Amino acid sequence: MWKGRFQQASSDRLKTYSESVSFDWRLYRHDIRGSIAHARALKKAGILTAGEFSKIEAGLRRIEKEIRTGRFTFDAGLEDVHMNIEAGLTKRIGAAGAKLHTARSRNDQVALDLRLYLREEIEALSGLVRGLQKALTGLAARHEKDVMPGYTHLQRAQPVFISHHLLAYVEMLERDHGRLRDGLKRSDECPLGSGALAGSTIVLDREAVAKELGFSRVTQNSMDAVGDRDFACELLAALAIIGMHLSRLSEDVILWASAEFGFIELSDRHTTGSSLMPQKKNPDIAELTRGKTGRLYGNLFTLLTVLKGLPLTYNRDMQEDKEAIFDSVDTAKAALEIFAEMIRGARFRTGAAARAAGDPALLATDLADRLVLGGVPFRQAHEIVGKLVALSARKDVPLDQLDPADYLAASPVLQAGIIKAVFNVATGLSARGATGAPSPKNLAKRLTHWKKRLP
Ligand code: ARG
């Protein structure tokens, strides 16, 4: 493509080292779409005749079909998907093909292709986030009123409903969804027309190109446009956070599936056995997802590091963006998909979860609250209940089964009726009526909200 200036052919090692078509061929549909829009602008500017434009369009569509059906041969010697398609076009339609690259550079071309690719993938990813939210909401609905312990420091803390725990993830995924959509808004700018870095003396109708390609505006600085990969950084950051969320859910699932917890039963279809130990049933999907989060973080760091310190504008370093982007998109999609399936196939062992939540000590805070309602300052109430907890440990009796005299000695507020009323999980949960707290009323409302939002 640049044979004019060079007397020697490229070294074979250089070709292998610098080719990207082995992975960026995936951009072919977007590349072709962009080229057709660009060709239309060239026709409008009088660079291409109507006949040449038609030939180019038909040739590009033919190549698209050939690639889709595996009949197109990519040549690593032509470096990337852009040059492969352009060379393929000229080979197929002759002279008109050689006019296509007028007023365009691979620099604005690749910036465009990536944006088109990401836009499509963000749509797919947002749908998959919604799918997982829906699966979690479905499971939550099945366990709307089943209790389990809520944890802090992985120590049993207070009883909650299983639905409350699961819906926490639905909220997290809602923010993920928002981040994906938000990034989309900022990447909604067409860079085509920026040329290599300084536009072109041949002025094309950029707005028309943008419109044809479904962008709502064009980029405003050609140097920024070819050097910018912020949109990819934002997406990889959003995917890294999704990975972080999935890995936390993975950890919960792994713990719940252990014999020690015994809260959840994953389906046979979503667990694996051991090649040696016949009894094993392992939560590999969750473990793999927890592990794959490493890639999602790594890819974000790859891209940020590739871009760090690059002088304006385009530098070849930027070709290193693609594998990181593709890998994060593929990894996040696969994880979201299989997680939704695994959650749909899971069932809680409600008895075990309720038993674990049944330790009256989990209501110690509620007891302190009762003292507060009886006029005791909270710090004092905390100490009084703390001493009762210590006493129950010393006597080895549950916190709700100390002698009535023990409670009264701790505080005259703690009449037998109060003790009986406090140590009741259902009452304790019903009392938690503030927005966001797990009262049955709140949960019913939130479930309705999600069911409406995730049809
Ligand atoms: N394959 C290149 C990339 O992905 C396309 C742009 C190449 N531009 C250039 N001037 N060499 O970044």
Side-chain angles (χ1 to χ4, degrees):
M1 291 275 173
W2 46 71
K3 55 183 186 292
R5 191 210 184 286
F6 289 74
Q7 261 104 62
Q8 291 182 310
S10 310
S11 127
D12 284 340
R13 273 216 177 82
L14 164 67
K15 284 187 202 160
T16 313
Y17 194 62
S18 96
E19 72 83 21
S20 57
V21 72
S22 55
F23 47 89
D24 70 13
W25 70 270
R26 291 175 57 163
L27 297 173
Y28 77 92
R29 276 189 300 113
H30 312 294
D31 197 72
I32 287 171
R33 217 181 137 198
S35 287
I36 292 173
H38 179 68
R40 205 184 311 278
L42 288 174
K43 177 180 72 169
K44 214 168 145 192
I47 306 289
L48 294 177
T49 65
E52 285 170 332
F53 169 74
S54 305
K55 267 190 168 171
I56 288 179
E57 189 183 15
L60 286 171
R61 294 209 191 283
R62 195 175 126 200
I63 291 175
E64 181 177 1
K65 195 166 163 207
E66 286 176 29
I67 298 177
R68 193 174 55 240
T69 52
R71 285 180 294 120
F72 186 89
T73 332
F74 288 105
D75 174 4
L78 291 166
E79 253 188 46
D80 52 27
V81 64
H82 324 292
M83 297 222 285
N84 268 276
I85 291 176
E86 192 192 324
L89 179 68
T90 306
K91 209 162 109 194
R92 281 163 187 71
I93 69 165
K99 293 189 176 180
L100 175 63
H101 212 51
T102 312
R104 184 176 70 168
S105 155
R106 280 183 292 155
N107 298 354
D108 56 350
Q109 196 176 351
V110 73
L112 169 73
D113 292 4
L114 273 178
R115 283 170 192 262
L116 290 174
Y117 162 81
L118 290 187
R119 192 167 71 190
E120 198 174 283
E121 294 298 351
I122 288 172
E123 289 302 339
L125 281 158
S126 346
L128 292 173
V129 168
R130 285 271 178 263
L132 179 54
Q133 283 182 300
K134 218 177 141 179
L136 286 163
T137 304
L139 190 57
R142 266 176 274 151
H143 298 291
E144 183 176 348
K145 300 218 169 101
D146 294 322
V147 292
M148 69 182 291
Y151 295 80
T152 64
H153 313 265
L154 200 53
Q155 306 290 316
R156 287 178 191 163
Q158 294 180 323
V160 294
F161 290 115
I162 292 174
S163 50
H164 195 52
H165 196 133
L166 293 173
L167 289 185
Y169 284 104
V170 178
E171 301 283 348
M172 289 149 83
L173 290 163
E174 185 64 19
R175 292 193 292 276
D176 290 325
H177 188 267
R179 260 183 289 275
L180 290 171
R181 309 310 299 181
D182 193 49
L184 198 55
K185 277 184 238 154
R186 260 184 305 282
S187 72
D188 183 17
E189 287 184 341
C190 184
L192 215 57
S194 303
L197 76 160
S200 168
T201 56
I202 296 164
V203 177
L204 303 180
D205 184 349
R206 294 192 62 203
E207 272 72 20
V209 173
K211 197 161 169 226
E212 172 169 348
L213 296 172
F215 288 100
S216 38
R217 47 188 198 278
V218 299
T219 52
Q220 295 296 317
N221 181 307
S222 59
M223 295 180 77
D224 174 42
V226 294
D228 168 35
R229 293 291 181 273
D230 289 5
F231 55 92
C233 295
E234 284 192 44
L235 175 62
L236 294 205
L239 298 185
I241 297 175
I242 287 180
M244 182 265 286
H245 288 158
L246 289 184
S247 111
R248 295 182 77 167
L249 177 55
S250 296
E251 183 62 18
D252 271 338
V253 167
I254 292 162
L255 287 171
W256 293 341
S258 70
E260 282 70 14
F261 279 74
F263 292 176
I264 206 171
E265 175 83 35
L266 300 172
S267 81
D268 286 358
R269 294 183 61 225
H270 302 107
T271 41
T272 56
S274 156
S275 59
L276 176 71
M277 298 166 281
Q279 87 285 9
K280 290 301 289 290
K281 185 173 176 187
N282 297 325
D284 287 23
I285 292 176
E287 291 170 274
L288 282 165
T289 305
R290 191 175 55 182
K292 283 174 193 290
T293 301
R295 290 186 191 221
L296 297 175
Y297 290 8
N299 290 332
L300 170 62
F301 265 79
T302 296
L303 184 60
L304 289 173
T305 310
V306 162
L307 296 169
K308 176 187 175 298
L310 288 188
L312 292 187
T313 53
Y314 178 84
N315 298 270
R316 193 63 189 283
D317 316 43
M318 289 165 74
Q319 180 168 292
E320 291 291 313
D321 59 1
K322 275 165 223 66
E323 286 155 296
I325 295 171
F326 294 151
D327 185 60
S328 275
V329 168
D330 294 345
T331 301
K333 280 168 80 178
L336 287 164
E337 254 167 355
I338 197 149
F339 239 86
E341 207 183 286
M342 179 182 77
I343 293 293
R344 280 196 297 271
R347 69 174 189 85
F348 272 87
R349 297 175 191 278
T350 51
R355 266 194 303 286
D359 177 356
L362 304 200
L363 295 169
T365 314
D366 296 35
L367 186 60
D369 288 349
R370 284 296 176 131
L371 286 166
V372 168
L373 294 177
V376 183
F378 182 75
R379 270 296 143 238
Q380 239 166 289
H382 190 287
E383 191 183 337
I384 291 169
V385 176
K387 283 183 176 155
L388 285 172
V389 171
L391 183 65
S392 94
R394 220 166 34 242
K395 287 189 157 180
D396 196 21
V397 283
L399 186 60
D400 63 339
Q401 277 159 46
L402 290 167
D403 289 335
D406 291 333
Y407 296 116
L408 288 172
S411 164
V413 176
L414 300 180
Q415 303 290 326
I418 297 243
I419 297 299
K420 196 159 175 247
V422 166
F423 287 109
N424 179 317
V425 174
T427 321
L429 281 165
S430 293
R432 296 177 141 70
T435 302
S439 73
K441 236 196 202 157
N442 283 347
L443 277 163
K445 251 182 29 202
R446 206 61 191 152
L447 274 170
T448 311
H449 163 87
W450 287 122
K451 279 188 207 152
K452 247 197 258 152
R453 197 169 162 75
L454 310 164

